[in-house]
Amino acid sequence: MGIREVAKEAGVSVATVSRVLNHSGYVKEETYQKVIAAIRRLNYVPNGVARSMVKGSTRTIGLILPDITNPYFPMLARGVEDAAITQGYLVILCNTDNNPDTEAMYLSMLREKCVDGLVYVSSSSSTDHVRAFARHLPVVWVDRMPVGVEGDVVAGDDLLGGYLATRHLLSLGRRRIAFIAGPDGLMTAEERERGYRLALKEAGLVPEDELMARGDFQFASGRRAMTEILGRTRPDALFASNDLMALGAMEVIAEAGYRIPGDIAVVGYDNIMFARLAKPPLTTVEQPSYLIGVTACEVAMERIARRELPVQKKLFKPTLVVRASTQGERE
Amino acid sequence: MGIREVAKEAGVSVATVSRVLNHSGYVKEETYQKVIAAIRRLNYVPNGVARSMVKGSTRTIGLILPDITNPYFPMLARGVEDAAITQGYLVILCNTDNNPDTEAMYLSMLREKCVDGLVYVSSSSSTDHVRAFARHLPVVWVDRMPVGVEGDVVAGDDLLGGYLATRHLLSLGRRRIAFIAGPDGLMTAEERERGYRLALKEAGLVPEDELMARGDFQFASGRRAMTEILGRTRPDALFASNDLMALGAMEVIAEAGYRIPGDIAVVGYDNIMFARLAKPPLTTVEQPSYLIGVTACEVAMERIARRELPVQKKLFKPTLVVRASTQGERE
DNA sequence: TTGTATGCGTTATCAA
DNA sequence: TTGATAACGCATACAA
């Protein structure tokens, strides 16, 4: 059953049915009621595909992110979806695992599906696919924008976050502050490291290689990195560039017989739900991930509506959440 | 640029272009190459919307769940998406917060968008909306099917899970086993409770009201429920019907000065990522949530392909993961 | 092996 | 205020 059957049932033309459906044009109250009644009787639902075709818009946005299973992303995704639905947009979820091939595949599928825009939590290299895509469609970059690509971006201020975390440890009198870096080439991770270095420098300290190791933002890599570090030196603090790695590191620290924060104070990043449940509760840098998601989606929808808008860059300030992993007392 | 321009560029008809696009019908190798070349030159991407219209299929499935922010769901969602993509399906994510109005809204949007099928992690009441919807479209119910609705269902065996958890505590010699129930009317929750009661009964015990409280599967409600229970009695074990509530309860237990598992042994349900990071690590019933997601999506795609297939019910056995919250030793 | 023409279910333009 | 009809971009039946 399509608009045709409804028209016949109501004894009017398809044009009239379309008008009542879209509240467009003039239609007599009486006719309106007839059509509404027919729609009810037939339990008619307009076909969005046909509508999309003629309107040139699908009211759909794609959300591309590394892995919804990573505890940082659900909040962000939720923000995107909540914002989308307020304007009648639906969101298609795509997990890329940071795999460029997977990214490329989703990109081409989304383009073919004619999504109206994209919220893109990129993580790895900027491929040509991405660049080409961004020319065709509104793309809002979250947390990271590949080099050489212009566009809207919504992100947390990771430089500031790294700086705050490190400053906090310094203010506690810690001087040998270990650092677990994130994936190489990932802007988010690099900025946090820059913040770390900046704070050290301000304090007249020099970052030492033996205090640093690299992880991939997963729990297990936090364990590995901390094992590495403890194997060659003895820090009095740790700043891990995300909570998952911080949690992994804390396990290793405890297993090695050190006390947190007595021997080693620990700061993470993200304030995922379980940071406060850790033993001891983890001091961390909180990002307003829900808000970031909401904002990214809003920017995307704005741009969809007005392609010629000036480029927007929105940076959200992180805040330090101090807990027992640095303070020694219960939250 | 549509198929027309490609046809002109290649010097053939649109039908031929369509044929090479779909690998259908016969086309001479030479012609094939010409068309491919034209597609490349024009950087042509077929319009999926138009294709959907004529094919009557969007290669899209809707995933409806309570809240992606709840740590149980990301894995499930990931499973659904991974399965979907293997057959070229995209998935639309919908968070309902268990709100019937929100469910109804998404349902009607998804129907209008002409998704080919639905994976439905329902939680609350079966509304008429849902029932009407299920008649129009393949729906696979995950973990719960509203009463009065026929259809495919993929779920964990919660009765068995509740039984296993309780039996484990009983085998440890515990006799006063507290229980934190899930939301009223939620099948998953009720089955776990049935398992609890069954095990008690088998052991010749009678469930006591003072040992039971109800939560809503959120962390905070675990705290509340445990506070309630400890306020009126003194159990020697706790089975919480999900990990989040178990974690909340553990906090309260510790704050009250009891030792886990010495005074009170604790078992949760789900084996979310952070169960093993809790202090002490939480014994829990593991559901193969990723597999459940994969399977649900596969069943949905099967039914999309063959509507007349017999109804499928797939129940996944849970397994008990024993950790220090009941055993007293490190994992 | 290829081309022509029709229809998918809407919206929008133009006439009436 | 309403109706007839031409797109929208593609797949496909049928003809050639």
Side-chain angles (χ1 to χ4, degrees):
Chain A
M1 12 80 243
I3 202 172
R4 256 192 173 86
E5 282 80 346
V6 177
K8 182 174 296 177
E9 173 82 12
V12 299
S13 72
V14 295
T16 300
V17 176
S18 178
R19 276 189 281 262
V20 343
L21 247 28
N22 297 282
H23 306 97
S24 66
Y26 297 92
V27 34
K28 212 199 318 185
E29 175 62 20
E30 189 191 329
T31 317
Y32 181 88
Q33 294 302 343
K34 276 198 303 189
V35 173
I36 290 294
I39 288 174
R40 281 253 156 64
R41 270 199 301 282
L42 268 44
N43 192 9
Y44 164 77
V45 174
N47 182 319
V49 176
R51 181 176 284 174
S52 288
M53 183 148 86
V54 37
K55 293 260 219 190
S57 155
T58 55
R59 289 257 137 192
T60 290
I61 77 151
L63 170 58
I64 300 193
L65 44 73
D67 182 9
I68 192 67
T69 267
N70 176 322
Y72 175 69
F73 293 116
M75 265 301 177
L76 187 124
R78 190 64 214 259
V80 170
E81 203 210 304
D82 287 356
I85 202 61
T86 64
Q87 306 201 27
Y89 279 85
L90 253 23
V91 0
I92 295 179
L93 177 66
C94 308
N95 294 91
T96 64
D97 288 325
N98 298 337
N99 182 328
D101 293 337
T102 309
E103 285 194 3
M105 180 208 55
Y106 273 119
L107 245 27
S108 88
M109 288 189 69
L110 290 173
R111 180 167 170 204
E112 194 162 323
K113 278 276 186 299
C114 302
V115 296
D116 293 342
L118 228 54
V119 172
Y120 203 125
V121 191
S122 169
S123 50
S124 58
S125 53
S126 138
T127 64
D128 293 339
H129 301 281
V130 186
R131 197 170 285 130
F133 199 88
R135 266 199 303 269
H136 290 288
L137 218 69
V139 177
V140 174
W141 305 97
V142 174
D143 284 344
R144 169 165 210 277
M145 189 172 63
V147 280
V149 174
E150 263 299 300
D152 302 315
V153 35
V154 174
D157 189 339
D158 292 297
L159 173 61
L160 176 60
Y163 178 80
L164 287 176
T166 313
R167 272 275 303 255
H168 172 62
L169 291 168
L170 288 166
S171 78
L172 263 26
R174 312 286 170 152
R175 284 298 173 271
R176 295 189 51 72
I177 303 176
F179 178 70
I180 300 182
D184 199 17
L186 176 53
M187 196 165 95
T188 307
E190 286 171 356
E191 290 290 289
R192 291 173 194 177
E193 179 167 348
R194 278 184 56 208
Y196 164 77
R197 289 173 183 277
L198 180 61
L200 286 189
K201 192 172 170 190
E202 264 191 25
L205 297 175
V206 180
E208 296 173 36
D209 280 349
E210 63 173 7
L211 284 171
M212 306 180 59
R214 187 177 297 284
D216 62 4
F217 276 175
Q218 299 293 320
F219 178 84
S221 76
R223 286 195 56 107
R224 274 197 303 276
M226 196 66 214
T227 306
E228 227 178 87
I229 292 171
L230 288 180
R232 58 182 179 228
T233 186
R234 170 66 161 72
D236 59 12
L238 165 69
F239 170 36
S241 41
N242 81 344
D243 286 345
L244 239 33
M245 295 194 299
L247 260 18
M250 280 171 71
E251 258 192 20
V252 171
I253 291 172
E255 286 166 15
Y258 296 114
R259 309 215 23 121
I260 302 172
D263 300 318
I264 302 179
V266 179
V267 178
Y269 208 111
D270 285 346
N271 195 19
I272 60 177
M273 175 175 194
F274 289 89
R276 62 171 289 261
L277 298 182
K279 291 285 178 311
L282 177 64
T283 293
T284 187
V285 177
E286 174 167 345
Q287 302 220 64
S289 54
Y290 181 80
L291 186 58
I292 288 177
V294 167
T295 306
C297 189
E298 285 173 349
V299 171
M301 294 184 300
E302 275 182 53
R303 180 154 305 286
I304 289 167
R306 306 198 36 212
R307 301 285 282 249
E308 75 283 8
L309 237 45
V311 170
Q312 303 191 46
K313 315 269 181 201
K314 302 205 175 185
L315 221 53
F316 285 88
K317 298 243 170 298
T319 48
L320 188 70
V321 178
V322 178
R323 299 202 181 98
S325 74
T326 57
Q327 285 298 40
E329 56 218 352
R330 291 213 51 124
E331 192 184 1
Chain B
M1 13 73 244
I3 202 173
R4 258 193 171 85
E5 282 80 344
V6 177
K8 182 174 295 178
E9 173 82 13
V12 299
S13 72
V14 295
T16 301
V17 176
S18 177
R19 276 188 281 261
V20 342
L21 246 28
N22 297 282
H23 306 97
S24 66
Y26 298 92
V27 35
K28 210 198 321 183
E29 175 62 20
E30 190 190 328
T31 316
Y32 182 88
Q33 293 302 343
K34 274 198 303 189
V35 173
I36 290 293
I39 288 174
R40 281 255 155 63
R41 269 199 302 280
L42 268 43
N43 193 10
Y44 165 77
V45 174
N47 181 321
V49 175
R51 181 176 286 175
S52 288
M53 184 147 85
V54 36
K55 293 260 221 189
S57 154
T58 55
R59 288 259 135 190
T60 290
I61 77 150
L63 171 59
I64 299 194
L65 45 74
D67 183 10
I68 190 71
T69 267
N70 176 321
Y72 175 69
F73 294 117
M75 264 302 177
L76 187 124
R78 188 65 214 260
V80 171
E81 203 210 304
D82 287 356
I85 202 61
T86 63
Q87 306 202 28
Y89 280 84
L90 253 22
V91 1
I92 295 180
L93 178 66
C94 307
N95 293 92
T96 65
D97 288 324
N98 298 338
N99 181 328
D101 294 337
T102 310
E103 284 193 4
M105 180 207 57
Y106 272 118
L107 245 27
S108 88
M109 289 188 67
L110 290 173
R111 179 164 170 207
E112 193 162 325
K113 278 275 186 299
C114 302
V115 295
D116 292 342
L118 227 53
V119 172
Y120 203 127
V121 190
S122 169
S123 49
S124 59
S125 54
S126 136
T127 66
D128 294 340
H129 301 282
V130 185
R131 198 170 284 129
F133 198 89
R135 266 199 304 271
H136 290 288
L137 219 70
V139 176
V140 174
W141 305 96
V142 174
D143 284 344
R144 166 164 212 277
M145 189 172 62
V147 279
V149 174
E150 262 300 299
D152 301 316
V153 35
V154 175
D157 188 338
D158 291 296
L159 173 62
L160 176 60
Y163 178 80
L164 287 177
T166 313
R167 272 275 303 255
H168 173 60
L169 290 168
L170 288 166
S171 78
L172 262 27
R174 312 286 170 152
R175 284 298 173 270
R176 295 189 50 71
I177 303 177
F179 178 69
I180 300 182
D184 198 17
L186 178 54
M187 194 163 100
T188 308
E190 286 171 356
E191 289 292 289
R192 290 173 196 178
E193 181 168 345
R194 279 184 55 208
Y196 164 77
R197 290 173 182 276
L198 180 62
L200 286 190
K201 192 172 171 188
E202 266 191 23
L205 297 175
V206 180
E208 297 174 36
D209 280 349
E210 63 173 10
L211 283 170
M212 304 181 59
R214 188 177 296 286
D216 62 3
F217 275 176
Q218 298 294 318
F219 178 83
S221 76
R223 286 196 57 107
R224 274 196 303 276
M226 198 64 214
T227 306
E228 229 179 87
I229 293 171
L230 288 181
R232 59 183 177 227
T233 186
R234 170 69 160 71
D236 59 11
L238 165 70
F239 170 36
S241 42
N242 82 344
D243 286 346
L244 238 33
M245 295 195 297
L247 261 17
M250 280 171 72
E251 257 192 21
V252 171
I253 292 171
E255 286 165 18
Y258 297 114
R259 308 213 25 116
I260 302 172
D263 300 316
I264 302 179
V266 179
V267 178
Y269 207 110
D270 284 348
N271 197 18
I272 61 178
M273 178 177 194
F274 289 89
R276 60 171 291 259
L277 298 182
K279 290 287 174 319
L282 177 65
T283 292
T284 188
V285 178
E286 174 166 344
Q287 302 222 65
S289 54
Y290 180 81
L291 187 57
I292 288 177
V294 167
T295 307
C297 189
E298 285 173 349
V299 171
M301 294 184 301
E302 273 181 53
R303 181 154 305 285
I304 290 168
R306 306 199 34 214
R307 302 284 282 248
E308 76 284 7
L309 236 46
V311 169
Q312 302 191 47
K313 316 268 181 201
K314 303 208 174 182
L315 222 53
F316 286 89
K317 297 240 170 300
T319 48
L320 188 70
V321 179
V322 178
R323 299 204 180 97
S325 73
T326 57
Q327 286 299 38
E329 56 217 355
R330 290 216 49 126
E331 191 185 4

